[in-house]
């Protein structure tokens, strides 16, 4: 609507000013000129200071699965952008596809020590204060303009935050030591068996699965520490 007012005020001002012969016509041209100037001022305020708009904030929480299928360790991946900026690649439990955080207008926080892995996504954007301002400035399509996204990752202490390059290096190291790890895993399980109480077949099977997972987690964390130090 503001653009239509601007156009109509220009046309009306030109018509009344050029052909003005009476005082009321001159007065009308002044009114049209004021409407034109006012429209310019309001449009400028809308573009520069978001006049007629309000800040809207929405918060969504998603539960996370590991970003990598490496057994024994849960991982949140990130990709460095320049020296300090990063985008994170996370896997929501409700989505089969991995999601990458936005690179612009985005702040990411990592906090460890939580009971489970979750992500709080806080999105702030501009919207019209009411239907009047929407009618006035609606054609400029300023609503929905993103202000900022804040991603708060809450992770258990057991999770690792790893870059894409580091996870590739980890996969290479794990592949190189695959045979060695299998041998060590067998020895680890044998030692556990010797130190445990007698078990029936079902209990033994469950215990071996648990010990295997413990060994994998221990070794993956150790290899990740080595990869990160390089």
């Amino acid at each position: 609507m503001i653009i239509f007012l601007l156009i109509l005020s220009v046309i009306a001002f030109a018509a009344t000013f050029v052909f003005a012969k009476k005082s009321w016509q001159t007065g009308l041209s002044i009114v049209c000129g004021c409407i034109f100037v006012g429209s310019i001022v309001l449009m400028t305020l809308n573009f520069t200071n978001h006049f007629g708009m309000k800040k809207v904030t929405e918060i969504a929480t998603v539960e996370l699965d590991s970003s990598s299928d490496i057994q024994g360790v849960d991982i949140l991946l990130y990709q460095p952008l320049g020296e300090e900026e990063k985008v994170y690649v996370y896997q929501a439990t409700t989505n089969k596809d991995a999601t990458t955080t936005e690179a612009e207008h985005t702040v990411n926080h990592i906090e460890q020590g939580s009971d489970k892995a979750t992500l709080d996504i806080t999105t702030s954007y501009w919207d019209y204060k009411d239907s009047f301002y929407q009618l006035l400035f609606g054609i400029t399509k300023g609503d929905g303009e993103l202000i900022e996204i804040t991603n708060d990752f809450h992770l258990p202490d057991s999770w690792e935050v790893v870059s894409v390059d580091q996870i590739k290096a980890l996969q290479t190291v794990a592949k190189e030591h695959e045979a060695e790890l299998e041998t060590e895993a067998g020895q680890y399980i044998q030692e556990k068996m010797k130190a445990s109480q007698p078990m029936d077949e079902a209990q033994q099977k469950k215990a071996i699965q648990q010990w295997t997972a413990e060994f994998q987690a221990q070794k993956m964390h150790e290899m990740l520490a080595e990869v990160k130090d390089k």
Side-chain angles (χ1 to χ4, degrees):
M1 182 178 176
I2 191 72
I3 293 179
F4 293 123
L5 282 176
L6 184 65
I7 295 172
L8 289 175
S9 63
V10 170
I11 295 173
F13 174 79
T16 54
F17 183 79
V18 172
F19 299 104
K21 295 181 179 180
K22 298 180 180 180
S23 58
W24 70 268
Q25 292 175 323
T26 302
L28 182 59
S29 67
I30 293 174
V31 171
C32 291
C34 290
I35 294 174
F36 171 76
V37 173
S39 299
I40 292 293
V41 171
L42 290 177
M43 286 183 64
T44 302
L45 289 174
N46 177 253
F47 278 116
T48 58
N49 297 321
H50 297 93
F51 173 76
M53 309 194 80
K54 61 183 177 181
K55 182 180 179 180
V56 178
T57 300
E58 296 179 349
I59 301 176
T61 300
V62 296
E63 294 188 9
L64 303 178
D65 288 333
S66 177
S67 302
S68 172
D69 58 0
I70 291 180
Q71 298 296 317
V73 60
D74 292 314
I75 289 173
L76 174 64
L77 283 175
Y78 70 86
Q79 176 64 56
L81 297 178
E83 295 182 359
E84 296 183 1
E85 294 184 7
K86 301 175 182 177
V87 293
Y88 289 84
V89 183
Y90 64 90
Q91 180 72 51
T93 57
T94 56
N95 191 349
K96 294 181 180 179
D97 299 322
T99 304
T100 303
T101 59
E102 299 290 336
E104 298 181 352
H105 306 291
T106 303
V107 178
N108 299 301
H109 298 133
I110 305 291
E111 178 183 327
Q112 293 192 270
S114 301
D115 293 332
K116 60 181 181 180
T118 59
L119 167 61
D120 294 330
I121 306 172
T122 304
T123 305
S124 301
Y125 60 91
W126 293 109
D127 195 7
Y128 297 112
K129 288 183 177 179
D130 51 40
S131 57
F132 170 75
Y133 288 108
Q134 184 175 9
L135 177 64
L136 188 63
F137 298 112
I139 198 170
T140 62
K141 296 183 179 180
D143 62 319
E145 179 184 346
L146 180 64
I147 300 174
E148 185 178 70
I149 298 175
T150 301
N151 296 310
D152 292 306
F153 291 92
H154 304 281
L155 306 176
D157 288 329
S158 60
W159 277 57
E160 295 276 1
V161 182
V162 183
S163 73
V164 173
D165 288 340
Q166 287 171 343
I167 201 68
K168 291 178 181 178
L170 174 63
Q171 290 171 333
T172 300
V173 172
K175 187 67 175 177
E176 291 174 350
H177 294 81
E178 186 174 2
E180 178 184 337
L181 291 174
E182 288 180 3
T183 301
E184 291 182 7
Q187 294 172 348
Y188 181 85
I189 292 171
Q190 287 179 3
E191 291 175 1
K192 288 289 187 180
M193 289 287 290
K194 291 177 181 178
S196 64
Q197 298 293 329
M199 295 178 287
D200 59 31
E201 185 177 347
Q203 291 174 329
Q204 189 177 96
K205 182 177 180 181
K206 184 177 179 180
I208 290 174
Q209 290 176 342
Q210 179 182 342
W211 295 330
T212 301
E214 289 176 0
F215 177 81
Q216 288 177 336
Q218 177 183 328
K219 286 300 178 179
M220 287 300 117
H221 283 290
E222 288 177 1
M223 286 190 289
L224 267 176
E226 293 177 5
V227 166
K228 288 181 177 181
D229 288 340
K230 291 182 179 180

